[in-house]
């Protein structure tokens, strides 16, 4: 897996809803023009985030991940996903 990062803006939606919307947008973009390795990496990151991370639990533990929470950064580095907000690491999870 290649390293990739993206930002989710949680001004109107929580992290789970915004991640789902970002995933659906990325899939739609992919089917329009599938020749982007960056887009494929972003889709894979969002898929792992949605399927393997307890987003409702994290949202309950971290107000920054609720609707109105601002911007969060989602990163994949090696075999791990990390969620950051305001320069703080809120969650790190090894996926392998």
């Amino acid at each position: 897996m290649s390293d990739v990062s993206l930002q989710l803006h949680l001004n109107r939606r929580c992290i789970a809803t915004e991640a789902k919307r970002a995933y659906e947008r990325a899939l739609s973009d992919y089917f329009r023009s599938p020749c982007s390795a960056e887009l494929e990496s972003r889709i894979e990151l969002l898929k792992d985030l949605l399927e393997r991370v307890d987003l409702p639990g994290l949202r309950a533990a971290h107000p920054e991940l609720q609707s109105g929470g601002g911007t969060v950064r989602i990163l994949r580095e090696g075999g791990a996903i990390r969620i950051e907000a305001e320069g703080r690491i809120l969650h790190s999870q090894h996926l392998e």
Side-chain angles (χ1 to χ4, degrees), residues 30 34-45:
Y30 179 79
C35 297
S36 171
E38 178 185 337
L39 184 55
E40 289 176 10
S41 294
R42 195 166 70 222
I43 289 169
E44 194 68 31
L45 172 60

Side-chain angles (χ1 to χ4, degrees), residues 21-96:
R21 289 174 56 95
Y23 179 73
E24 290 167 359
R25 279 192 309 269
L27 280 179
S28 178
D29 291 346
Y30 179 79
F31 288 117
R32 276 189 241 132
S33 62
C35 297
S36 171
E38 178 185 337
L39 184 55
E40 289 176 10
S41 294
R42 195 166 70 222
I43 289 169
E44 194 68 31
L45 172 60
L46 287 163
K47 181 177 178 278
D48 285 341
L49 178 69
L50 290 166
E51 291 179 353
R52 301 176 80 179
V53 176
D54 178 15
L55 295 177
L58 288 173
R59 182 181 59 220
H62 299 284
E64 305 95 313
L65 301 179
Q66 298 172 5
S67 178
T71 301
V72 296
R73 187 171 176 217
I74 314 297
L75 302 97
R76 177 195 308 276
E77 293 178 324
I81 285 183
R82 191 169 72 223
I83 301 172
E84 299 177 349
E86 300 174 4
R88 293 184 16 241
I89 297 172
L90 301 180
H91 180 74
S92 183
Q93 179 175 330
H94 197 68
L95 298 177
E96 295 175 9

